[in-house]
Amino acid sequence: MTTSGDFEIVSPVTFNLLCFRYKPPGMNDPQETDRINEQLLKKLNDSGKIFLSHTRLNGRFVLRFVPGNIQLTHEHIKRAWRLISDSARTIY
């Protein structure tokens, strides 16, 4: 997975579960960050190209990416990340 300054991993990565959130540079309002991530989740799932779930960690809205299909390739992961990051940047 590509690292990016405007995303943060919010829990240890175990097996195939990645919990993360979009946090634009300069965004310091936790409620606004939650709202942006809720919008991002809806935008991604509504696209029909990817399905993410969510949870709350330490009271914050967090996206959950679970790439668990046995036929999943590195290219699938790269395309998913590109969709996630491009979509996030259209929101904020």
Side-chain angles (χ1 to χ4, degrees):
M1 174 108 14
T2 304
T3 59
S4 177
D6 50 354
F7 285 86
E8 59 184 356
I9 296 174
V10 295
S11 71
V13 178
T14 57
F15 191 50
N16 67 338
L17 172 63
L18 174 64
C19 293
F20 68 99
R21 58 194 272 118
Y22 178 53
K23 188 174 183 296
M27 173 61 64
N28 296 316
D29 180 350
Q31 287 80 22
E32 181 67 8
T33 305
D34 285 350
R35 187 186 66 73
I36 289 169
N37 279 277
E38 288 180 58
Q39 285 182 313
L40 177 57
L41 178 69
K42 181 170 178 19
K43 182 178 185 99
L44 290 166
N45 289 345
D46 286 352
S47 77
K49 296 177 182 176
I50 192 170
F51 178 79
L52 300 180
S53 60
H54 73 281
T55 191
R56 286 202 173 261
L57 292 175
N58 299 318
R60 303 283 44 109
F61 190 92
V62 174
L63 302 175
R64 298 174 75 235
F65 180 53
V66 184
N69 187 309
I70 195 164
Q71 296 178 336
L72 193 72
T73 67
H74 186 69
E75 185 57 36
H76 291 116
I77 299 292
K78 285 178 14 182
R79 277 188 293 185
W81 184 248
R82 199 167 29 251
L83 178 63
I84 292 166
S85 58
D86 290 349
S87 296
R89 291 179 185 114
T90 66
I91 292 172
Y92 187 88

